[in-house]
Amino acid sequence: MARKQWLLAGLAAVLTACSVPDRAPGDRTAGIEGTWQSAGYGYVFDITQDGTGKTQLASYEQTSVSCLGGDMSAQVGREGEATSFGEDGEAELVVRRRGGHLIVQEPGAAGHIRMERLKKLPGCPSAISGNAADRRLQTFDVFWQNLAEHYPPYPYRKLDGAGRKRDRAALAEDNTDRTLGKLLGGTVRELGDMHTGIEGEDLSLYGKRPGTRDSADMNTDAFRPAIEARLGKRLEPVIDDKVEYAGGLPGHLGYLRITQFDDFADESYDVDRKKFGQALDTVFAVAERDGWRGLVLDLRLNDGGFDDLGLELASRLTDKSHFAFQKRARDTQAASGFTPYEKLRVSPSDRPGFHGPIALLVSDLTVSAGETAVMTLLNRSPKPTLIGLPTQGVFSDQLSRTLPGGWSLDLSNEDYRNAAGQSFEGRGIPVPQEFRTPVFTATEIGRRCDAAIARALDHLADKPPATTPPCPGGTT
């Protein structure tokens, strides 16, 4: 899954410190202290100094009916104009002053959030009712208001606004935690969005595009034997089972499998980025040494992670700068209903890479940052050939919201598009019909077959389809 946008959660935090004006120009934090409101995203930040002179940040999650508060985030570093905030010394977000605006970025995320200064904190935090029945209605209202203000009008996912009135009436009639969970869960299921989910009162429920699979429900360890059987080679792990490769394939071809773009070191984004870069150095040094003429890049099982690491991969696979993707966030206060597009590009890396033909394997188990990596790679030259099945169709980062009563909501609030302005949210990146194959079906896994790899090997070797049988031993 994509990295959640900072969940500085906890309802009980109440600020007693007052916002202070900009400091002297010589202070590195000059200009960031005060109260700020984001364009889209529904954030209010209050950046202050405590009694010891340390800078701290409180994040609030705002809708037109609520403003719920989160824990304090301490300053953990400064570099030039950038001030980072987080916990236990690890940066969770970085802020910079740009003219009259505050520019905010989460490490590893593509793009940024723009904030405008407010004169004072706008009534945050909101009061939470002490009455259980009233609190459940309040939870329902904040849940729906967040969806109404932040969930984009995706062409392939529709929010049932009429259902809001119907469900609230049902909750008022049978005001219990069970009814609340059933109604909120029903809305999540109808959206079919892996990045939109509800948690609370023993409930944890996320959506899924109808007709697709969730890797959490599958024995993904069984995939590797089928892959190795079809390749005729053992996979060489570089980062456990998250980055692995095989060389020495017929026709001087190579194979690279990446199953996620995060959690390589269980430490921080900076460590993940370093370890991922070293892994790519290892793989592409082998590619250069062995003279790979084509690459099978396998993202069929990729649970996502940091968009920025997908861009890092793309930088190793091109010798020319190219467009990656463009993104914007839902903003009901803007005339367009969105923040302005932010356009991301890929620049060639000077570290080891591969610039030849690529067969790019994808499926409904290619999710989130795995999909943004695919969208990015389709702009390289020569263009990769997609093989497998359409991707899941969840591109947005997860916007995490605190709800009254101990509930929480994750939702998609961003609109990702390719250079032509196409959105694949809710439908996935399509695979040309001639290159569609089964992917990790029970039959294939049971027989240790892999039709997608067989198709890729034939394509890269300029052989007719079905020259390479999908199953070992020449069976079909």
Side-chain angles (χ1 to χ4, degrees):
M1 308 294 281
R3 286 286 173 166
K4 296 180 180 180
Q5 294 156 1
W6 340 284
L7 182 55
L8 306 175
L11 288 173
V14 179
L15 291 183
T16 56
C18 298
S19 300
V20 298
D22 292 353
R23 297 178 59 80
D27 193 317
R28 286 188 175 182
T29 62
I32 70 169
E33 293 177 10
T35 303
W36 303 87
Q37 185 176 50
S38 63
Y41 299 92
Y43 282 113
V44 172
F45 286 178
D46 200 50
I47 303 176
T48 64
Q49 281 198 351
D50 62 17
T52 65
K54 295 181 179 179
T55 305
Q56 55 191 3
L57 181 152
S59 171
Y60 291 92
E61 300 160 5
Q62 185 184 42
T63 72
S64 61
V65 301
S66 62
C67 186
L68 301 179
D71 295 335
M72 284 285 191
S73 180
Q75 178 183 321
V76 295
R78 289 189 305 219
E79 184 175 350
E81 298 177 342
T83 303
S84 55
F85 294 89
E87 296 180 0
D88 300 324
E90 182 177 332
E92 296 179 355
L93 56 91
V94 179
V95 302
R96 296 175 175 82
R97 182 68 182 271
R98 288 290 182 270
H101 310 290
L102 198 68
I103 302 301
V104 184
Q105 187 169 29
E106 180 185 10
H112 66 269
I113 296 174
R114 177 183 172 118
M115 307 189 82
E116 305 281 351
R117 185 182 289 281
L118 296 177
K119 292 183 178 180
K120 61 179 181 180
L121 201 62
C124 304
S126 303
I128 305 301
S129 177
N131 177 275
D134 290 342
R135 188 167 58 248
R136 281 189 284 268
L137 289 171
Q138 191 175 21
T139 299
F140 181 93
D141 290 339
V142 175
F143 168 89
W144 263 101
Q145 198 61 33
N146 270 295
L147 288 175
E149 293 183 14
H150 296 297
Y151 202 81
Y154 295 125
Y156 291 86
R157 289 199 187 102
K158 297 296 183 183
L159 195 61
D160 182 11
R164 176 178 186 175
K165 184 177 181 180
R166 178 199 63 226
D167 287 356
R168 197 180 195 283
L171 178 61
E173 183 176 343
D174 183 20
N175 195 317
T176 64
D177 285 331
R178 181 178 180 180
T179 299
L180 177 61
K182 180 180 178 181
L183 295 171
L184 301 188
T187 298
V188 166
R189 284 193 188 93
E190 289 176 7
L191 286 173
D193 180 348
M194 274 192 176
H195 280 179
T196 298
I198 185 73
E199 296 192 17
E201 295 299 328
D202 300 321
L203 174 68
S204 179
L205 177 66
Y206 287 77
K208 181 177 63 174
R209 179 160 62 86
T212 64
R213 302 165 294 177
D214 187 339
S215 63
D217 301 326
M218 304 179 71
N219 178 17
T220 56
D221 290 338
F223 298 174
R224 182 180 290 99
I227 292 171
E228 292 181 329
R230 183 54 284 162
L231 291 173
K233 297 284 185 177
R234 294 293 300 272
L235 295 180
E236 299 289 340
V238 188
I239 305 178
D240 303 321
D241 59 350
K242 300 168 185 176
V243 179
E244 47 194 355
Y245 75 96
L249 303 179
H252 292 281
L253 303 180
Y255 171 89
L256 171 60
R257 182 179 189 232
I258 302 173
T259 62
Q260 60 196 75
F261 287 113
D262 67 351
D263 290 338
F264 296 133
D266 294 325
E267 293 185 46
S268 67
Y269 164 71
D270 287 339
V271 176
D272 273 350
R273 183 179 178 85
K274 181 178 180 180
K275 194 165 186 179
F276 186 61
Q278 291 170 340
L280 296 182
D281 287 346
T282 297
V283 173
F284 293 129
V286 172
E288 183 174 355
R289 182 197 69 196
D290 294 348
W292 290 2
R293 297 175 183 172
L295 170 66
V296 180
L297 176 57
D298 194 346
L299 300 183
R300 286 176 297 175
L301 173 65
N302 188 292
D303 292 326
F306 294 115
D307 279 345
D308 197 47
L309 295 190
L311 296 175
E312 167 68 14
L313 172 64
S315 76
R316 303 297 192 95
L317 298 173
T318 186
D319 56 2
K320 301 179 183 66
S321 176
H322 65 78
F323 185 87
F325 53 82
Q326 53 190 333
K327 61 180 283 190
R328 57 181 181 171
R330 184 70 167 143
D331 182 6
T332 54
Q333 300 303 307
S336 66
F338 290 90
T339 61
Y341 276 116
E342 185 163 7
K343 301 180 187 295
L344 284 301
R345 294 191 62 83
V346 174
S347 296
S349 174
D350 57 4
R351 295 171 69 173
F354 177 80
H355 305 146
I358 294 177
L360 179 52
L361 309 189
V362 297
S363 79
D364 53 325
L365 302 175
T366 307
V367 180
S368 189
E371 297 183 87
T372 63
V374 173
M375 185 182 286
T376 298
L377 290 168
L378 288 176
N379 295 314
R380 83 185 285 270
S381 180
K383 183 177 180 178
T385 299
L386 287 184
I387 298 174
L389 295 172
T391 64
Q392 176 63 218
V394 283
F395 293 81
S396 171
D397 291 339
Q398 287 177 289
L399 184 66
S400 297
R401 302 283 88 171
T402 301
L403 306 179
W407 294 76
S408 62
L409 165 69
D410 289 330
L411 63 96
S412 297
N413 73 309
E414 296 171 326
D415 177 34
Y416 279 65
R417 294 180 181 259
N418 65 10
Q422 294 174 299
S423 168
F424 300 101
E425 190 80 30
R427 60 177 175 133
I429 298 173
V431 173
Q433 191 63 43
E434 64 178 305
F435 289 105
R436 291 199 178 194
T437 70
V439 174
F440 301 136
T441 63
T443 298
E444 282 215 319
I445 296 303
R447 299 177 62 191
R448 301 178 75 188
C449 305
D450 199 318
I453 285 182
R455 186 73 174 90
L457 295 176
D458 286 345
H459 177 70
L460 290 173
D462 291 325
K463 296 179 180 179
T467 299
T468 301
C471 306
T475 59
T476 59

